[in-house]
Amino acid sequence: MKYSISWKLNAMTNKSRILIIALFFLSVLIGGCTENISDIRLDSTRPRLVVEGYISTDTMRHMVKLSRLGDALMKDPVQPVTNASVTISDGSATFDLSEDPERKGTYFTAPDVYGVVGKNYSLHITNVDINNDHVMEEYTAQSVIKQVNPIDSIHLVYNSSNPHFKGWSVNLYVMDPGQGRNFYLIKVLKNNKLLTDSIFKYSIGDNTGFEGKYYDGFPAYNLREDRADEKLVKGDTVTLELYGITEDYYSFISSYISDYYPKIPIFSGPSANIPTNIRPLDDAVGIFAAYSIKRKSVIYKQ
């Protein structure tokens, strides 16, 4: 079956990943599930608020992380923003977030909070003074939870014919919801351990040319045999998580990855600023993302 969908798979080589890490000193945050987006490059040296916030259809403690970024060349250390007032609202209910005393600048909802498909969620941040002018500021963002259909199944298919890749393709069987352009994020776990523990390992795509159609064994992710954490043995459980994300979040991930790839030629100019949905645009960077999640697991039988 021919796919015309625009999809960005985890195609980076190990050498590329090592080079990127060496160049930019990226680290994984929040239990290995989210990227340290305080490393975003800016075209200005004035202080900015960096926001990393999420709400999903899972029932859990949802997170908003706040930090202050000064010098665009990273001469100043990134500082957590403490004692802020942070809320998330769906227009009828408002969820207050509390700062984690052990993780300054990281705020969480109560553990029984979950998002609902179709609802628009607003992030509201107050009681912060990023530019140190003794005037408290206000920041906002909005994101809607998009629908994603339940996954029918996933299949593991071993590929040994490609000289550059030996391993397993995680093939996806699911119906696209249709009703316009949809955007997806895929994460993969092996034996309940997240393999996609960095933005650079994410698989993202959209349904361009495939609206309302069935993904009949779409190769959504690759597991490499030469990587110890990805190599499968009989009895291993592989779980695929399918996220229905907004175009804002898709653009953020895509731009973040592109910005930190080694540039060709090596002395080419810096990338454009990574897009953000945090307002005011001139005073903040980062992302507030709302999304739905569906999961499917399979046991590897060889």
Side-chain angles (χ1 to χ4, degrees), residues 27-46:
S27 61
V28 179
L29 298 180
I30 314 306
C33 295
T34 58
E35 202 75 33
N36 183 357
I37 65 172
S38 297
D39 291 335
I40 290 174
R41 303 181 196 184
L42 303 177
D43 60 4
S44 172
T45 57
R46 62 190 180 81

Side-chain angles (χ1 to χ4, degrees), residues 114-232:
Y114 60 91
V116 177
V117 171
K119 285 194 174 184
N120 187 68
Y121 288 84
S122 299
L123 173 68
H124 192 206
I125 301 164
T126 58
N127 198 45
V128 293
D129 180 15
I130 303 303
N131 58 12
N132 294 320
D133 65 354
H134 305 292
V135 177
M136 291 301 173
E137 300 143 17
E138 179 178 354
Y139 299 85
T140 62
Q142 292 190 351
S143 187
V144 64
I145 295 186
K146 297 290 188 177
Q147 177 185 353
V148 62
N149 284 333
I151 301 170
D152 290 334
S153 64
I154 58 172
H155 293 175
L156 302 173
V157 179
Y158 184 73
N159 179 9
S160 60
S161 60
N162 186 339
H164 303 292
F165 169 78
K166 289 187 178 181
W168 298 263
S169 173
V170 184
N171 290 355
L172 173 66
Y173 296 80
V174 69
M175 179 66 74
D176 177 74
Q179 300 180 359
R181 194 177 181 196
N182 297 316
F183 298 87
Y184 298 102
L185 163 65
I186 284 177
K187 298 183 182 181
V188 173
L189 299 88
K190 172 187 166 185
N191 298 328
N192 294 320
K193 180 180 179 182
L194 185 66
L195 299 179
T196 45
D197 56 2
S198 164
I199 285 181
F200 297 112
K201 298 180 183 180
Y202 286 0
S203 179
I204 58 173
D206 69 348
N207 67 340
T208 299
F210 215 71
E211 180 183 343
K213 297 181 181 179
Y214 193 74
Y215 292 91
D216 190 11
F218 182 81
Y221 202 85
N222 292 325
L223 300 174
R224 300 186 64 93
E225 190 174 41
D226 58 0
R227 291 180 59 89
D229 60 338
E230 296 183 1
K231 183 177 181 179
L232 299 180

Side-chain angles (χ1 to χ4, degrees), residues 241-259:
E241 296 183 336
L242 181 63
Y243 292 59
I245 63 176
T246 62
E247 186 173 4
D248 283 346
Y249 192 28
Y250 173 89
S251 298
F252 177 86
I253 296 171
S254 180
S255 298
Y256 189 99
I257 293 172
S258 297
D259 191 62

Side-chain angles (χ1 to χ4, degrees), residues 54-56 58-64 86-89 94-99 106-114 123 288:
Y54 310 93
I55 185 168
S56 74
D58 282 352
T59 302
M60 60 180 289
R61 298 171 73 217
H62 299 279
M63 179 209 78
V64 174
V86 183
T87 62
I88 296 175
S89 174
T94 298
F95 310 111
D96 295 314
L97 284 77
S98 300
E99 186 173 9
T106 304
Y107 302 77
F108 290 97
T109 67
D112 59 349
V113 172
Y114 60 91
L123 173 68
F288 171 61

